[in-house]
Amino acid sequence: MRAGTYGLIMALTFAGCLILATRSSYSQQPALGIFESQADVGPVQNPGSVTYDPGKQEYTVTGSGTNMWLGSDEFHLVWKRMKGDFILSARAQFIGKGVEAHRKIGWIVRSSLESGSPHVTAVVHGDGLTSLQFRRTKGAATEERISAVKAADVLQLERKGNTYTMAVARFGDPLATEQISDLALGDEVYVGLFVCSHNKDVIEKAVFSNVAIIVPAPDNFVPYRDYIGSDLEILDVENGSRRTIYHVADSLQAPNWTKDGKALIYNRNGRLYRFDLASGTPTEINTAFATSNNNDHVLSFNGKQLAISNHIKEEENQSNVFTMPVQGGTPKRITTHGPSYLHGWSPDGKFLIYTGERNGEFDVYQIPSTGGTETKLTRTPGLDDGPEYTPDGKYIYFNSTRTGLMQIWRMKPNGTNQERVTNDEYNDWFPHVSPDGKWIVFLAFPREVKPEDHPFYKRVYLMLMPAAGGPARVIAYVYGGQGTINVPSWSPDSKRVAFVSNSDRK
């Protein structure tokens, strides 16, 4: 939302140059997916293997080996060479009961493929022990930092210079970290997933899903001028399985799901696109003069109309709200005062709700969808943002900083009975209610992010909570933020959510 304040339109940034994406490479993945090769490290007795399933984007790895400890290692590895900083992320699961309590799976970063190479691993053992293990020099003894998390199945390992941070969780929980600094493994390293059976006569198996090698934005990047790549992803809400369906080298943001379930609508470089899920191809939507759209575009509940926020050059580039046919056409201006940042339709299609800045204060406003007089719904000091109607029209959910952190609130459609919904340690943004009215998905930024901000390129969570009330849980661990899930992104059957993650893919 607020692209005027938070994200000035990409079309301006790219000087009006429209960069068309080629079809996603995900339909043409090599045999090892994002990795280059595989190898047995050390004198293993039983060779390991890797199988990649491009449909599920999962890796099945088998491995043997006596151990990964002391001054040498034996295991099987699927790897890629990397330079610079990166974040490795995956869900990891042993297959079968196993033989040894200290069989091991996880992420590893190594100086070489030699058995005694310096390395660092984010590892989970067969008995649930989860730890950050590392060897500082060739042949040296292995050291360890044990995590308080037992039997983690979400494993992340980040490199920033010579500092390595392990972040782990049981799926659904927030990440817990362990860190080692001043670990010099060299600029170019081997990065990969591994399996070690801890028994030379045994072969163990593991499945790795939601696998990502993320190259984050550099420290000196300038927000809303510099961009890294974007991945369009689909998440199965029940089991947390993710699939990347499209990638662009710049900023793609905020996917809606069409009413028929056949396509997603997103913005890129100030334009809107319809992404056909069957063919995996985008087509630009004709928005006539409105070519400075931000990531506030919402379909009406009947799927026939599209409301947008377009920045008007002649009005100091302020955002205002327009409506148009979902298939494209000439937008009709609805709001007369800017900046106004659209967020939702009423279920009957009669009203639009949006965030407006008036006299330096951001509040939630309502206006007839055909135009007319706006009505102010919130009046508490602080930023009120992200309003969205429930499918039954009984509530408007929104996020607000009125208690310090950004939290989720709700109110009656006339602005009365405003009540707090979340009470956690994060900055919670953009509550989206599932079409069946049972669930709310929202975006959680870490506490160190300013409550009134939702920047690009941060570690964030997609959270799920019952609409009737109850605790929220993590359903996706994402490198993203601005543009990840700014708009309603549920599939019509309430089973999936579309979102955007980011990586500077090399």
Side-chain angles (χ1 to χ4, degrees), residues 426-447:
Y426 307 109
N427 287 297
D428 300 332
W429 282 82
F430 306 130
H432 302 308
V433 185
S434 60
D436 62 11
K438 295 180 179 179
W439 300 97
I440 297 172
V441 66
F442 61 92
L443 184 67
F445 284 85
R447 193 181 185 95

Side-chain angles (χ1 to χ4, degrees), residues 268-303:
R268 183 184 179 201
N269 303 331
R271 312 290 179 118
L272 296 182
Y273 293 84
R274 176 187 171 95
F275 184 85
D276 183 78
L277 291 169
S279 65
T281 56
T283 304
E284 185 178 340
I285 297 172
N286 174 26
T287 57
F289 61 84
T291 57
S292 292
N293 297 290
N294 62 33
N295 54 29
D296 302 327
H297 41 84
V298 181
L299 281 79
S300 58
F301 275 79
N302 64 14

Side-chain angles (χ1 to χ4, degrees), residues 19 21 24 36 117 123 177 250 265 298 303 336 352 358 381 384 416 436 440 456 490:
I19 306 171
S24 171
E36 298 172 19
S117 171
V123 56
T177 61
D250 49 47
I265 293 175
V298 181
T336 57
L352 298 171
R358 309 290 184 259
D384 296 322
T416 61
D436 62 11
I440 297 172
F456 285 103
W490 284 92

Side-chain angles (χ1 to χ4, degrees), residues 328-345:
T330 302
K332 175 186 176 182
R333 183 166 178 172
I334 303 301
T335 57
T336 57
H337 298 91
S340 296
Y341 307 99
L342 171 80
H343 278 284
W345 291 80

Side-chain angles (χ1 to χ4, degrees), residues 102 123-131 144-155 166 168-171 173-174 176:
H102 286 286
V123 56
V124 60
H125 299 236
D127 63 357
L129 174 68
T130 304
S131 62
E144 182 177 38
R145 303 277 171 82
I146 296 176
S147 174
V149 178
K150 302 296 183 183
D153 57 354
V154 178
L155 300 176
M166 179 185 74
V168 296
R170 298 289 299 272
F171 185 78
D173 295 336

Side-chain angles (χ1 to χ4, degrees), residues 308-324:
I308 62 176
S309 295
N310 182 62
H311 290 258
I312 303 171
K313 183 178 180 181
E314 296 76 16
E315 298 180 21
E316 298 182 340
N317 205 44
Q318 289 188 349
S319 171
N320 268 279
V321 177
F322 297 76
T323 59
M324 56 180 285

